[in-house]
Amino acid sequence: MSLMREKVALVTGAGAGIGRATALRFAQEGARVVVSDVDSEAGHETVRIIRETGADANFARADVSNAADVQAMIDHVIGSYGRLDCACNNAGIEGAVLPLTDQSEENFDRIIAVNLRGVFLCLKAEISAMLKTGGGSIVNLSSVAGLIGFPGLSPYVASKHGVNGLTKNAALEYAKQGIRVNSICPGGIDTRMLDSLAAQATGGKASTSEMMAPLHPLGRIGTADEVANLIVWLCSPQAAFVTGAHVPVDGGYVAQ
């Protein structure tokens, strides 16, 4: 039996990487999926891939740091399918890899705007929609950088710690209204973001796998599909007693 049959799911930052894999996984499990991204071309490509499988999906462009865009995205979901059951707040950026004293205010503000304000705005709009139809489930994308520190990534680390804080509070505030809110904390995952971080950290002298795989006890980096599997499970009835959790998917990284 499909985990998400007849459910409506929203995925932000779904034009590539973890977001695209998650949108595809929701569709595979029977959900009707709204794909959102600031990059319209990439988002439409995800929709095309989903529709080729025979599943139902459409696209809503949104910059999650913009409140009007976020509300328009939710309005699009409701206008298309009448309800919102599941949401994955995945949109995020990494920014510059520099010591704190070399980080610009502009870089800090942009990372906080997308990674933290974006999750805040999405939570507000998603929860408001879910309250009208009896509940739902939300997964926020944090990071192992939301659990521990990473030299050179102070704005990113601050944003992801903030995501975990928002997750805890939202889970507590809306548990009795049937809304579950969790975050996941990926380690090194094979995505363009990880490629960018590795290139900045090594000056392009080492591949992502060469740099990151030895840092994980399992001896490799993860895949976007492995993260997507966890996200969809957390949104499913199989995780009905899980809320307010921050779940690492990191090959044992933070266990060290």
Side-chain angles (χ1 to χ4, degrees):
M1 182 177 176
S2 299
L3 290 177
M4 292 290 158
R5 187 180 179 201
E6 303 302 323
K7 299 294 186 183
V8 175
L10 166 68
V11 184
T12 69
I18 292 171
R20 175 175 285 177
T22 300
L24 286 166
R25 190 77 188 110
F26 271 123
Q28 289 165 359
E29 290 294 340
R32 294 167 287 174
V33 184
V34 173
V35 169
S36 184
D37 203 286
V38 73
D39 183 338
S40 296
E41 183 176 351
H44 280 296
E45 176 64 11
T46 299
V47 170
R48 184 191 66 77
I49 294 168
I50 292 173
R51 287 179 175 172
E52 282 185 350
T53 71
D56 188 352
N58 63 43
F59 176 71
R61 185 195 178 279
D63 173 355
V64 296
S65 69
N66 182 289
D69 274 18
V70 170
Q71 189 56 56
M73 174 181 71
I74 299 301
D75 291 344
H76 175 92
V77 174
I78 303 305
S80 297
Y81 300 116
R83 60 186 296 118
L84 175 63
D85 300 297
C86 309
C88 174
N89 296 320
N90 166 74
I93 57 175
E94 74 280 5
V97 180
L98 293 168
L100 188 148
T101 53
D102 294 331
Q103 292 279 356
S104 69
E105 292 180 34
E106 291 78 14
N107 185 60
F108 181 88
D109 289 346
R110 181 58 181 157
I111 291 172
I112 294 297
V114 175
N115 294 4
L116 185 53
R117 174 183 164 88
V119 170
F120 169 72
L121 293 174
C122 286
L123 283 171
K124 285 187 67 176
E126 290 157 0
I127 290 170
S128 295
M130 290 176 177
L131 288 172
K132 296 174 182 177
T133 52
S137 181
I138 300 170
V139 174
N140 297 321
L141 261 288
S142 181
S143 165
V144 290
L147 301 171
I148 58 177
F150 277 85
L153 289 175
S154 51
Y156 184 79
V157 168
S159 73
K160 294 302 185 178
H161 275 70
V163 167
N164 284 341
L166 282 175
T167 299
K168 289 178 184 176
N169 253 55
L172 293 174
E173 290 173 2
Y174 295 98
K176 288 182 172 58
Q177 286 120 304
I179 296 174
R180 296 186 298 107
V181 187
N182 295 289
S183 66
I184 63 164
C185 301
I189 307 299
D190 188 12
T191 61
R192 289 184 298 190
M193 180 182 287
L194 190 67
D195 289 341
S196 172
L197 290 171
Q200 290 187 69
T202 67
K205 295 178 182 178
S207 71
T208 302
S209 183
E210 288 171 338
M211 177 187 173
M212 298 299 297
L215 303 178
H216 295 73
L218 287 184
R220 65 176 177 88
I221 58 176
T223 69
D225 287 339
E226 289 171 321
V227 181
N229 289 338
L230 176 59
I231 292 167
V232 173
W233 180 81
L234 282 170
C235 283
S236 79
Q238 293 186 355
F241 201 55
V242 183
T243 196
H246 315 307
V247 186
V249 50
D250 67 351
Y253 188 95
V254 298
Q256 300 178 96

